[in-house]
Amino acid sequence: AEPEPLADGLAVAIATGARVPAATSAVLRSERGRVSAGQLRGRNPEPGADIRPRGQECRSGTELLPAGTAVTPAVLGLAAAAGYDQLTVHPRPRVEVLVLGDELLHRGLPSGGRIRDALGPMTAPWLTMLGAEVLVTRRLGDDAEALYEAVSTSRAHLVVTTGSTAAGPADRLRPVLDRLGARLRVDGVAVRPGHPMLLAELPDGRPLVGLPGNPLAAVAGMLTLAAPLLASLAGRELLPLPAVELTEEVTGHATDTRVVPVRYPAAEPTQSPRFTPGFTGRRDGRTPRARPVRFSGPAMLRGLAGADALALVPPGGAPLGQRVPLVELPRG
């Protein structure tokens, strides 16, 4: 209940966190004072000491957090402290991954002209790091009927396929999309590797992202096409890409942007652009530097496995010291 106002010259015992009587000058902690013969003795506290005023953290009508803020445990605690029982949120986008290609082996050493599926094991974890809820990863080979059924019956917010984005005799994705009545919104991108990536709109409005079958090309498509799409579905703001300074010359494609895995020098620790608005890369404000890694061909993952980010090298290449845009790899 509302305590009675405190008259001049009087004190009253109070519990930590209790409502302070009106007209109270300050709180004297018990370890700093004592009561003797009805008299409170101790050093006078400063006015307002140990009193938390109402509205100290926020006033009525104040916006606590902007729309698009991820709901973390701290956000839940803040909402509860402010008296909210429910929050209106964007759910994590549900994603289904469909791995295409009869040439893929799913266990054991590559043999008989077939290769191991590298995309199936890494696509779902990276999509999860990008904010998705991956429902399932299905391996369909080059079965057009199975692909048609999987896409037409999927209940995911987003379907992601790997492989079969080109127009070869064994590539089933485009014919199936035509059969479904889907509309191609992105039909190839001027980037290497990854140029056959595609974005289709299914008849019910849901998107489908087609990643190329080469591993590094697929990662390029995932981070430059699927990641922004997931951010949009989740209501998250897209931040401008940070820049990085190359520590050596990088050759480029004649007409397309080249995606190059890079690593930060150990002596120059960076801040993550993904989680730091207004990223500069270094606390001194200088542009961070990055070194291209070896083994960065379209079908290679060895260089990517030790990389920190992807540098976007313009057509024609970039000399030593040139600033280029940077896409950081997702981290758990």
Side-chain angles (χ1 to χ4, degrees):
E2 180 75 33
E4 293 294 328
L6 203 57
D8 287 349
L10 296 182
V12 63
I14 192 171
T16 300
R19 298 171 73 175
V20 176
T24 297
S25 299
V27 170
L28 179 65
R29 299 189 184 196
S30 59
E31 64 268 22
R32 297 176 181 172
R34 59 188 178 85
V35 177
S36 175
Q39 297 290 316
L40 176 61
R41 302 182 183 278
R43 180 178 297 179
N44 284 338
E46 293 292 327
D50 286 311
I51 296 177
R52 290 179 182 167
R54 283 178 289 189
Q56 185 179 31
E57 188 170 12
C58 62
R59 301 283 180 170
S60 178
T62 299
E63 181 184 74
L64 297 178
L65 294 168
T69 300
V71 181
T72 63
V75 169
L76 289 177
L78 174 62
Y84 289 94
D85 299 318
Q86 293 181 333
L87 296 177
T88 301
V89 301
H90 291 274
R92 281 179 173 264
R94 297 193 304 273
V95 178
E96 195 166 318
V97 179
L98 308 177
V99 179
L100 311 180
D102 284 343
E103 75 279 11
L104 301 178
L105 292 170
H106 305 298
R107 60 176 58 87
L109 292 172
S111 62
R114 303 176 70 189
I115 58 174
R116 276 295 302 267
D117 169 31
L119 296 180
M122 72 176 183
T123 301
W126 262 357
L127 289 173
T128 300
M129 293 179 189
L130 291 170
E133 177 189 352
V134 180
L135 302 177
V136 67
T137 297
R138 303 174 61 184
R139 298 173 176 88
L140 304 181
D142 287 323
D143 189 329
E145 288 301 319
L147 177 59
Y148 177 86
E149 180 181 0
V151 175
S152 60
T153 61
S154 173
R155 294 296 176 262
H157 296 119
L158 167 66
V159 177
V160 175
T161 64
T162 68
S164 199
T165 57
D171 293 323
R172 312 297 187 198
L173 180 58
R174 292 171 181 272
V176 167
L177 291 176
D178 288 341
R179 180 180 169 189
L180 287 166
R183 300 176 62 186
L184 283 178
R185 295 296 192 180
V186 176
D187 187 6
V189 178
V191 62
R192 303 295 175 113
H195 63 282
M197 69 178 81
L198 62 83
L199 171 64
E201 181 183 353
L202 300 175
D204 60 6
R206 291 177 302 133
L208 179 146
V209 170
L211 302 178
N214 276 324
L216 185 56
V219 172
M222 189 186 318
L223 298 185
T224 61
L225 189 58
L229 181 59
L230 285 170
S232 178
L233 291 173
R236 297 196 308 272
E237 179 185 3
L238 285 176
L239 299 176
L241 292 179
V244 69
E245 184 179 296
L246 298 173
T247 62
E248 58 187 71
E249 180 182 1
V250 178
T251 59
H253 189 270
T255 59
D256 297 350
T257 297
R258 185 182 171 201
V259 177
V260 179
V262 295
R263 187 169 183 83
Y264 306 133
E268 298 187 13
T270 64
Q271 302 174 55
S272 167
R274 184 171 302 282
F275 300 110
T276 306
F279 167 72
T280 62
R282 287 172 44 151
R283 289 179 173 83
D284 58 11
R286 293 168 53 195
T287 303
R289 300 191 304 165
R291 172 179 54 82
V293 300
R294 299 176 60 199
F295 305 106
S296 57
M300 297 180 180
L301 286 174
R302 182 174 171 183
L304 185 69
D308 296 305
L310 299 178
L312 307 182
V313 177
L320 182 153
Q322 179 167 329
R323 289 164 54 103
V324 297
L326 184 77
V327 178
E328 184 158 279
L329 300 177
R331 301 294 179 189

